[in-house]
Structures are given as C-alpha cells and as structure tokens.
Amino acid sequence: MGQGRDHRVQDYIQPLAFPAGAIVLALALSIVWNMAPVDAFLLSFLVVTVGLQGIWAFLGHYFKADMVAALIGWPAGNPFQTEIAFANLAFGILGLLCVFYRGEFWIATAIGISVFLLGAASVHIRDIRERGNLNPANAGGILVTDILTPIALLGLLALRYLL
C-alpha cells in the first residue's frame, strides 16, 4: 500500500474529521443560535476546514515534516515541507479571522483557499497517474477535502451573495 510503510485506515480518513466537525458546528449555529443556515455552514467551513485544518496542517508539515512526507509518499527532508507549512498557517489564520470579519473577507478567504486546495489536488492527481502514489495523504481523505472544500465554499458563497 504505502512505499515501505503500513498505513492504517485512519491515515486515509483523518482529514474528513474537519468537514464533519464543520457540519456539526453549522447545525448547532443554525438550530441552537438561530443563525441563517447558509451563513452557519459558510462560517463553519471557513473556521473549521480552512482555519483549524490549516493550523493542523501547519503543525504537521512544520513539526512532523518527515512523517507527513512519508504519508504523502514523498521524500523526507525537502524544504517544500516548510513552505507548505507556512502557506497552511496563513490560510489557517485567515479562516479563524472569519469569526470576526465578514463580507468580502469571507469571499477573499474562500477564493484564496480554493485556488490553493484545487492546485494541491491537481498535484496529488498527477502523482497518482504518473507514479501510482496511493499513499493516504496523496490519495486519501486529503484529496477528497482538497476537492470538496472549494466546491462547498464556493457553492455557499454563491448562495449567500448571488442568489
């Protein structure tokens, strides 16, 4: 399965915990605090899947770089890990700031992370096609969230601002 390493099921599905958490938070905001459903889901996805997941990705890429590289199926010791760590930290901070800033800040944060995640998805897909890399952080839940998070965010933005 993974180049010289046995991967567990959780290695493949762990990134899906963030969208699941965002859905639970959105339901709470909508039902308990009476927030409009589109706003509740948009805010929750910005804070949890952009903010918290971005901080989580920073921590992994920065402090556990070799382990994360192995999960992706890429060589350890690459300075790319530090660069991607700080990109994740930047988006993580933007996502968390969505609690305090609304409107165009939400739009800019959602567009920025969508470009980043869809670009990352294209790299993962190319790596699957060219090298058959099915490691968990290349072909697992992270690939799913790299594609579905932008779809959810941009769809929610369209519902909130265009309809």
Side-chain angles (χ1 to χ4, degrees):
M1 190 174 353
Q3 305 161 344
R5 180 174 189 259
D6 291 327
H7 297 291
R8 304 165 304 208
V9 171
Q10 75 182 39
D11 291 336
Y12 288 90
I13 63 172
Q14 181 274 329
L16 301 175
F18 290 97
I23 291 168
V24 170
L25 178 60
L27 291 172
L29 289 173
S30 183
I31 295 166
V32 177
W33 286 284
N34 232 9
M35 184 181 269
V38 170
D39 285 354
F41 276 90
L42 183 54
L43 177 61
S44 296
F45 270 85
L46 286 166
V47 171
V48 177
T49 64
V50 178
L52 296 178
Q53 191 166 11
I55 300 297
W56 182 258
F58 162 75
L59 294 171
H61 282 287
Y62 192 80
F63 294 106
K64 302 270 188 178
D66 290 347
M67 184 188 78
V68 171
L71 282 171
I72 298 171
W74 291 348
N78 190 324
F80 155 81
Q81 290 289 94
T82 305
E83 289 181 12
I84 202 72
F86 284 106
N88 277 293
L89 179 61
F91 281 114
I93 291 168
L94 290 173
L96 295 177
L97 286 173
C98 288
V99 169
F100 306 104
Y101 301 103
R102 303 269 196 251
E104 291 162 350
F105 190 85
W106 285 10
I107 296 169
T109 301
I111 290 171
I113 194 67
S114 294
V115 170
F116 175 70
L117 292 177
L118 290 172
S122 73
V123 171
H124 292 304
I125 291 167
R126 185 176 60 230
D127 202 31
I128 292 167
R129 286 187 17 226
E130 291 177 2
R131 296 187 324 123
N133 182 354
L134 298 177
N135 282 299
N138 195 62
I142 200 67
L143 178 59
V144 172
T145 61
D146 281 355
I147 295 168
L148 293 183
T149 298
I151 290 170
L153 287 171
L154 297 175
L156 288 164
L157 282 176
L159 287 173
R160 186 171 198 270
Y161 292 104
L162 300 177
L163 301 177

